[in-house]
Amino acid sequence: MLARLALGGVAVFALTLAGCSGETEGDEAAPEAQTEPREVTTTIVEPQPFAEPVKAFGTIAAKQRSAIGALTEGPVERIFVKVGDRVSRGQPLFRIRQADYQRSVVEAQAAVDLTSAQAIEAERRYDRVMALAPRGFVSKAQVDAAETELAVARAQKAQAQAALGTAQQALADTITRAPYDGVVTARMVDEGVYLNNRFSMGRQSAALELQELGIVAAIVNAPQEYVDAFRRNMPARVFIEGFEQPFDSTVYIINDRVDPESRMVELRLPIANPDYRISSGLAVRAEISVPPVQAIVLPRPAILGDSAAAYVFVVVNGKAQRREVAFESIDLDQVRIRSGLEPGDEVILDPPATLRNDEPLKSRRTRGAS
C-alpha cells in the first residue's frame, strides 16, 4: 500500500515538473518572436529632373494710366464723358471756357493785319528809294533807312503771325482730347471748376483719369531664389480672380531691383484685353515655366510631423534613424525636399506610427519614390 502511494507521488511530481518545463520554454520563445525586425518599404533617394512652375502673386495694372489735365487755364465749361466710357484717341473729353481765348485770336489776327499793311507800305517806300538811288536823287542815308524800315516791318509781321498761331493753338487746346484709346476710370471735377495747368498750390490741375486697357499687365512678385532662372519671353499662365480659365502670357519685364524687405523680384506679364474684360486692380496668380532642375521628390506619406517640424525615417545600418527635413508641396501626393536628405539615403516610404529611433528593420526596397 505504501509502495503504491509512493509511486503515485512520484508520478504527480513528474507531471508537475513537465508542466513547469513547458511554461518555461513558451516564455523563452515569446521574446524571440518580439525581437524579429519589422519589414518596411524603402527607396533610395536619387535626384530627378523637376520642372514645377514658379508661383508669383500680384495685381493687374493698365498699360498706361494718366491723370488728364487742361492744356490751358480756365473754368471747365463742359465735360463730354463719364466714368466707364470707352474713348478713342483724339476724342474730346472736356472743354475750358473759350471766350477769352477767342478774343485773343481776334486781337492777334488784327495785329497780323496791321503789320502786314505796314510791311506793304515799307516795301513800296523801299522800291521808290531804290529806283531813285542810281540817278543820285537820294542819299546813301536814305537808302539805309528804307532798308531798315522794310526789315523792321517784315519782322513785326512775322512776330504778329507767330502770336496769332499761339492764340489759335491756345483756343484749340481749350478742348482736351484723349491721348490714346482707353477707358475713363475717374472724374475729379465738375463743370465750373477752375483748372490750372501750371500746377500752382491750391488749384486743381486734373479733371479725369484715363487708362489704356487694350493690353493689361500682371505685375507679380516672385521669390528671389529664382531670380537667376528668369528670362524674358518665358511662357507663363496668369490666373485672374473672377475668371475661370487662365490667360497665356510671357515674361516681358524683369525688374533688376529685388525688394530688400520682402526679398521678391518684380515681373510684368502682358495680357491681350481687346474687349476690356479684365479690369485693373484685380488680384492675380501667375505660374511661370522655368527650366527643370535636379530635385528630390518623395510621396507625401513619407513625411511625418508638420511643416514647422517635419521629419522622415531613413535606414542606416539596418536601423531606423529620424532625419529632420524641409519640404514644399508639389500636389496632394508629392513633396519636394528642400534640405535634410542626400542622394543615396534610404528613406522609409510609409513609416508606421509606432516606429522608433534605432529600431531594427528589414528593408523592402522599391525602384522609385513616387
Side-chain angles (χ1 to χ4, degrees):
M1 186 67 181
L2 291 173
R4 287 182 181 178
L5 292 172
L7 289 174
V10 171
V12 172
F13 178 75
L15 291 172
T16 304
L17 182 61
C20 292
S21 176
E23 291 176 0
T24 303
E25 289 177 0
D27 291 343
E28 290 177 355
E32 290 180 2
Q34 291 177 358
T35 58
E36 179 92 14
R38 81 167 88 194
E39 188 177 56
V40 292
T41 303
T42 65
T43 187
I44 301 300
V45 169
E46 294 181 0
Q48 55 185 289
F50 177 74
E52 183 188 24
V54 176
K55 294 180 176 61
F57 300 87
T59 306
I60 290 292
K63 181 181 178 181
Q64 295 187 78
R65 184 176 66 179
S66 305
I68 306 298
L71 298 175
T72 57
E73 293 183 352
V76 177
E77 188 173 64
R78 178 81 182 276
I79 296 179
F80 303 111
V81 295
K82 61 183 182 297
V83 173
D85 283 354
R86 300 178 183 181
V87 298
S88 302
R89 179 186 176 93
Q91 180 177 333
L93 300 178
F94 61 91
R95 184 178 68 216
I96 298 296
R97 188 175 66 192
Q98 295 181 323
D100 295 339
Y101 297 95
Q102 290 170 338
R103 280 196 300 272
S104 296
V105 170
V106 171
E107 292 172 356
Q109 183 62 60
V112 169
D113 294 341
L114 175 61
T115 55
S116 296
Q118 292 173 342
I120 292 173
E121 177 61 24
E123 288 175 1
R124 289 173 178 171
R125 188 177 298 108
Y126 174 79
D127 290 341
R128 289 195 296 268
V129 170
M130 295 305 294
L132 296 173
R135 291 180 285 178
F137 294 130
V138 293
S139 64
K140 181 66 169 58
Q142 290 175 313
V143 172
D144 292 343
E147 290 177 346
T148 301
E149 184 180 0
L150 177 59
V152 170
R154 288 174 174 174
Q156 289 174 337
K157 178 181 177 181
Q159 185 180 39
Q161 289 174 333
L164 175 61
T166 300
Q168 290 172 333
Q169 184 62 56
L171 177 60
D173 287 345
T174 57
I175 299 177
T176 299
R177 302 177 183 275
Y180 47 77
D181 295 348
V183 178
V184 179
T185 54
R187 173 171 168 170
M188 293 81 155
V189 300
D190 292 319
E191 283 88 352
V193 174
Y194 189 94
L195 293 185
N196 180 10
N197 65 344
R198 291 177 295 181
F199 300 96
S200 298
M201 185 175 296
R203 294 290 186 91
Q204 178 68 37
S205 59
L208 301 170
E209 182 184 74
L210 189 67
Q211 293 189 15
E212 183 178 359
L213 296 176
I215 295 178
V216 295
I219 303 178
V220 297
N221 295 298
Q224 67 175 1
E225 62 190 276
Y226 298 102
V227 66
D228 193 47
F230 291 135
R231 297 289 185 274
R232 285 197 62 185
N233 300 320
M234 273 185 170
R237 293 196 305 165
V238 180
F239 298 81
I240 304 176
E241 187 171 334
F243 292 83
E244 294 183 359
Q245 299 298 324
F247 295 84
D248 293 330
S249 184
T250 58
V251 176
Y252 184 69
I253 293 176
I254 304 172
N255 196 330
D256 290 331
R257 177 181 178 271
V258 175
D259 189 284
E261 296 182 0
S262 64
R263 303 300 178 187
M264 294 286 187
V265 58
E266 181 186 278
L267 307 175
R268 300 197 174 208
L269 317 175
I271 303 170
N273 187 34
D275 51 3
Y276 293 4
R277 292 174 58 208
I278 306 171
S279 301
S280 62
L282 290 173
V284 299
R285 171 175 58 88
E287 293 184 355
I288 303 157
S289 300
V290 297
V293 296
Q294 294 296 110
I296 295 174
V297 178
L298 291 178
R300 188 174 291 274
I303 307 297
L304 300 176
D306 55 31
S307 59
Y311 63 94
V312 299
F313 276 104
V314 298
V315 178
V316 179
N317 298 326
K319 294 184 178 181
Q321 294 290 329
R322 175 170 166 158
R323 188 78 59 80
E324 293 183 357
V325 295
F327 73 94
E328 62 181 18
S329 296
I330 298 175
D331 51 34
L332 294 177
D333 301 319
Q334 293 181 308
V335 298
R336 177 187 180 187
I337 302 299
R338 306 294 296 180
S339 63
L341 291 178
E342 298 293 336
D345 287 341
E346 185 178 0
V347 178
I348 300 174
L349 292 180
D350 194 2
T354 57
L355 187 62
R356 296 292 179 265
N357 213 31
D358 291 329
E359 180 179 333
L361 299 172
K362 181 180 179 181
S363 301
R364 186 176 69 248
R365 293 181 183 175
T366 61
R367 283 175 173 255
S370 57

Short mmCIF file of all heavy atoms in Angstrom, two decimals, residues 231-234 249-254 267-270:
data_model
loop_
_atom_site.label_atom_id
_atom_site.label_comp_id
_atom_site.label_asym_id
_atom_site.label_seq_id
_atom_site.Cartn_x
_atom_site.Cartn_y
_atom_site.Cartn_z
N ARG A 231 14.03 84.53 -67.38
CA ARG A 231 14.47 85.09 -68.64
C ARG A 231 13.28 85.74 -69.34
O ARG A 231 12.14 85.33 -69.14
CB ARG A 231 15.06 84.00 -69.56
CG ARG A 231 16.30 83.33 -69.01
CD ARG A 231 17.51 84.25 -69.03
NE ARG A 231 18.72 83.54 -68.61
CZ ARG A 231 19.11 83.38 -67.35
NH1 ARG A 231 18.35 83.87 -66.36
NH2 ARG A 231 20.22 82.75 -67.06
N ARG A 232 13.55 86.73 -70.15
CA ARG A 232 12.47 87.34 -70.94
C ARG A 232 11.89 86.32 -71.90
O ARG A 232 12.57 85.43 -72.39
CB ARG A 232 13.00 88.54 -71.72
CG ARG A 232 13.23 89.77 -70.86
CD ARG A 232 13.34 91.02 -71.72
NE ARG A 232 12.10 91.26 -72.46
CZ ARG A 232 11.95 92.22 -73.37
NH1 ARG A 232 12.96 93.03 -73.64
NH2 ARG A 232 10.81 92.39 -73.99
N ASN A 233 10.59 86.45 -72.15
CA ASN A 233 9.83 85.59 -73.07
C ASN A 233 9.57 84.19 -72.52
O ASN A 233 9.12 83.32 -73.27
CB ASN A 233 10.50 85.52 -74.44
CG ASN A 233 10.63 86.86 -75.11
OD1 ASN A 233 9.71 87.67 -75.05
ND2 ASN A 233 11.77 87.13 -75.73
N MET A 234 9.86 83.95 -71.23
CA MET A 234 9.48 82.67 -70.64
C MET A 234 7.96 82.54 -70.65
O MET A 234 7.25 83.49 -70.31
CB MET A 234 9.98 82.59 -69.20
CG MET A 234 11.38 82.07 -69.06
SD MET A 234 11.82 81.88 -67.31
CE MET A 234 13.36 81.01 -67.47
N SER A 249 0.55 84.07 -71.27
CA SER A 249 1.37 85.27 -71.30
C SER A 249 2.83 84.88 -71.36
O SER A 249 3.17 83.68 -71.46
CB SER A 249 1.09 86.16 -70.08
OG SER A 249 1.82 87.37 -70.16
N THR A 250 3.70 85.87 -71.33
CA THR A 250 5.15 85.65 -71.27
C THR A 250 5.76 86.69 -70.33
O THR A 250 5.14 87.72 -70.05
CB THR A 250 5.81 85.78 -72.66
OG1 THR A 250 5.53 87.09 -73.19
CG2 THR A 250 5.30 84.73 -73.62
N VAL A 251 6.97 86.41 -69.89
CA VAL A 251 7.70 87.37 -69.06
C VAL A 251 8.22 88.46 -69.98
O VAL A 251 9.07 88.21 -70.84
CB VAL A 251 8.85 86.70 -68.30
CG1 VAL A 251 9.64 87.74 -67.52
CG2 VAL A 251 8.31 85.63 -67.36
N TYR A 252 7.70 89.68 -69.81
CA TYR A 252 8.09 90.79 -70.68
C TYR A 252 9.13 91.70 -70.02
O TYR A 252 10.04 92.19 -70.67
CB TYR A 252 6.85 91.61 -71.06
CG TYR A 252 7.12 92.72 -72.04
CD1 TYR A 252 7.46 92.44 -73.35
CD2 TYR A 252 7.04 94.06 -71.66
CE1 TYR A 252 7.72 93.45 -74.26
CE2 TYR A 252 7.30 95.08 -72.56
CZ TYR A 252 7.63 94.77 -73.85
OH TYR A 252 7.90 95.78 -74.74
N ILE A 253 8.97 91.93 -68.72
CA ILE A 253 9.90 92.80 -67.99
C ILE A 253 10.32 92.09 -66.71
O ILE A 253 9.49 91.53 -65.99
CB ILE A 253 9.26 94.16 -67.65
CG1 ILE A 253 9.00 94.97 -68.91
CG2 ILE A 253 10.14 94.95 -66.69
CD1 ILE A 253 8.28 96.28 -68.67
N ILE A 254 11.63 92.11 -66.43
CA ILE A 254 12.18 91.62 -65.17
C ILE A 254 12.84 92.80 -64.48
O ILE A 254 13.82 93.35 -64.99
CB ILE A 254 13.22 90.49 -65.39
CG1 ILE A 254 12.60 89.34 -66.20
CG2 ILE A 254 13.75 89.99 -64.06
CD1 ILE A 254 13.62 88.30 -66.62
N LEU A 267 8.04 90.99 -61.72
CA LEU A 267 7.92 90.60 -63.12
C LEU A 267 6.66 91.23 -63.70
O LEU A 267 5.68 91.44 -62.98
CB LEU A 267 7.84 89.08 -63.27
CG LEU A 267 8.92 88.25 -62.60
CD1 LEU A 267 8.61 86.77 -62.73
CD2 LEU A 267 10.29 88.56 -63.17
N ARG A 268 6.67 91.50 -65.00
CA ARG A 268 5.49 92.05 -65.67
C ARG A 268 5.13 91.16 -66.85
O ARG A 268 5.97 90.90 -67.73
CB ARG A 268 5.72 93.49 -66.13
CG ARG A 268 6.05 94.40 -64.95
CD ARG A 268 5.89 95.86 -65.25
NE ARG A 268 6.09 96.66 -64.05
CZ ARG A 268 5.55 97.83 -63.83
NH1 ARG A 268 4.75 98.36 -64.73
NH2 ARG A 268 5.78 98.50 -62.71
N LEU A 269 3.87 90.71 -66.86
CA LEU A 269 3.40 89.77 -67.86
C LEU A 269 2.23 90.40 -68.61
O LEU A 269 1.17 90.63 -68.03
CB LEU A 269 2.94 88.47 -67.18
CG LEU A 269 3.83 87.92 -66.06
CD1 LEU A 269 3.18 86.71 -65.42
CD2 LEU A 269 5.20 87.56 -66.60
N PRO A 270 2.38 90.72 -69.90
CA PRO A 270 1.29 91.36 -70.65
C PRO A 270 0.20 90.37 -71.02
O PRO A 270 0.45 89.19 -71.26
CB PRO A 270 2.01 91.89 -71.89
CG PRO A 270 3.17 90.97 -72.07
CD PRO A 270 3.60 90.55 -70.70
#
